[in-house]
Amino acid sequence: MSNGPWTDAENDLIVADYFAMLSADFAGQSYNKVAHNRDLQTQIDRNRSSIEFKHQNISAVLRALGEDWIPGYKPAQNYQGTLEDAVVRWLELNPGWLSRIQDRPAMGLREAAQLWIGPPPTLSNQPPPAELEQTIATARKFDVAERDERNRALGRAGEERALAHEKAVLAGSGRSDLASKVRWVSEEDGDRAGYDIASYAPDGRPRLIEVKTTNGWERTPFHISRNELAVADERRADWCLMRLYHFAREPKAFELRPPLDAHVSLTATSFQASFH
């Protein structure tokens, strides 16, 4: 059995095998991890435990890339850059993958129940430093936040899901009168308002909600515009950011209220150049 670094050919084989299982998982189809491992052993010169750990490495890469992973393969860090490249290579060769898994949550949105709204990530619940550092480095290298921002289908589906949630909360609180007034501002008026949804708290207070959606975990980075930050500052009592994550599998959310730099590190990624 080989104990050396994994070759590109080996990485490509195990990544393809992983996505075959992940595809079955999303489709609700049964698959046998032991059988997949045994089959890989006939194709590459690696033992069972090495293949098992590499599957866990792939989970860690997908988490860093803001994608979902197989629940049975707990993300394991200390993966090599060549494995990152193999996962990205597979995604580039299979461009339909992202759009395919993003179609799943769109079903039944109008009848959807309320979202699970939990606490946001904090320093106290962050992963170990080395693990977090590698995850952040991968997300930055492949600009995960920019990819999610460009994905209009994902963003729109997230906003629609948040809209259904807001209406369900109000209806469940006996405020159907307010539920009927909730507006999808970005859809009706465009995205210049600095928020996506104009809603209400059950007591009638306004809620201006900017929705950010990812298929990844709760710490996946996101983009926020200068205008959104300005509106957040101007309307601090009303504005909030609703972060939807694990969207393709089982959408969950948390909310951040201004000032945002109390929760996240804001990094300038582009600059406007004006003539003197």
Side-chain angles (χ1 to χ4, degrees):
M1 292 290 175
S2 175
N3 292 316
W6 284 59
T7 66
D8 286 346
E10 289 176 322
N11 280 330
D12 286 340
L13 278 170
I14 196 167
V15 166
D17 176 74
Y18 186 103
F19 273 103
M21 289 188 286
L22 184 56
S23 179
D25 191 66
F26 270 108
Q29 300 170 352
S30 62
Y31 58 94
N32 189 314
K33 292 191 294 183
V34 174
H36 275 262
N37 190 307
R38 189 183 303 117
D39 184 57
L40 278 173
Q41 290 178 57
T42 67
Q43 301 178 64
I44 56 180
D45 190 26
R46 305 284 174 173
N47 61 30
R48 181 192 60 79
S49 60
S50 178
I51 290 172
E52 178 86 7
F53 190 73
K54 188 63 69 171
H55 277 137
Q56 291 183 258
N57 283 155
I58 295 171
S59 291
V61 172
L62 286 172
R63 182 176 67 177
L65 290 174
E67 295 300 329
D68 213 334
W69 62 89
I70 297 172
Y73 286 121
K74 183 180 178 180
Q77 298 300 129
N78 298 320
Y79 50 79
Q80 289 71 43
T82 53
L83 184 62
E84 287 180 343
D85 294 338
V87 172
V88 171
R89 193 158 52 242
W90 190 95
L91 290 171
E92 289 175 344
L93 290 171
N94 297 271
W97 172 259
L98 296 180
S99 60
R100 182 186 68 83
I101 63 176
Q102 286 153 11
D103 285 343
R104 290 184 73 242
M107 299 174 63
L109 277 174
R110 300 188 186 282
E111 294 76 36
Q114 298 176 26
L115 284 163
W116 181 86
I117 306 288
T122 64
L123 289 174
S124 63
N125 62 18
Q126 72 178 8
E131 178 179 331
L132 186 61
E133 181 179 349
Q134 185 176 33
T135 301
I136 291 174
T138 298
R140 185 183 300 118
K141 175 181 176 182
F142 294 100
D143 205 348
V144 170
E146 175 64 18
R147 183 210 58 209
D148 279 351
E149 186 71 14
R150 289 197 310 265
N151 193 329
R152 300 297 184 186
L154 176 62
R156 191 177 188 282
E159 291 175 17
E160 189 175 9
R161 183 65 181 86
L163 182 75
H165 165 79
E166 288 295 303
K167 291 182 177 182
V169 168
L170 290 167
S173 301
R175 295 305 307 265
S176 296
D177 58 323
L178 293 177
S180 66
K181 297 178 181 179
V182 175
R183 296 184 62 237
W184 190 353
V185 176
S186 60
E187 181 77 2
E188 298 173 21
D189 303 336
D191 58 3
R192 298 180 300 276
Y195 54 91
D196 299 310
I197 296 169
S199 185
Y200 302 89
D203 63 6
R205 288 179 296 108
R207 277 171 53 82
L208 309 179
I209 305 167
E210 174 62 30
V211 183
K212 302 292 184 182
T213 307
T214 184
N215 285 327
W217 68 323
E218 61 270 26
R219 290 182 176 271
T220 302
F222 57 86
H223 274 198
I224 186 164
S225 72
R226 177 181 297 181
N227 183 49
E228 289 161 358
L229 286 173
V231 175
D233 189 56
E234 293 167 4
R235 302 287 302 273
R236 287 192 176 201
D238 306 328
W239 192 96
C240 74
L241 186 148
M242 182 182 288
R243 179 57 159 163
L244 274 65
Y245 61 96
H246 289 324
F247 190 73
R249 185 180 294 277
E250 184 180 358
K252 297 180 179 180
F254 59 83
E255 294 184 358
L256 301 178
R257 294 192 171 276
L260 288 185
D261 55 10
H263 308 281
V264 297
S265 298
L266 296 172
T267 304
T269 56
S270 63
F271 296 88
Q272 176 176 298
S274 302
F275 290 101
H276 299 301

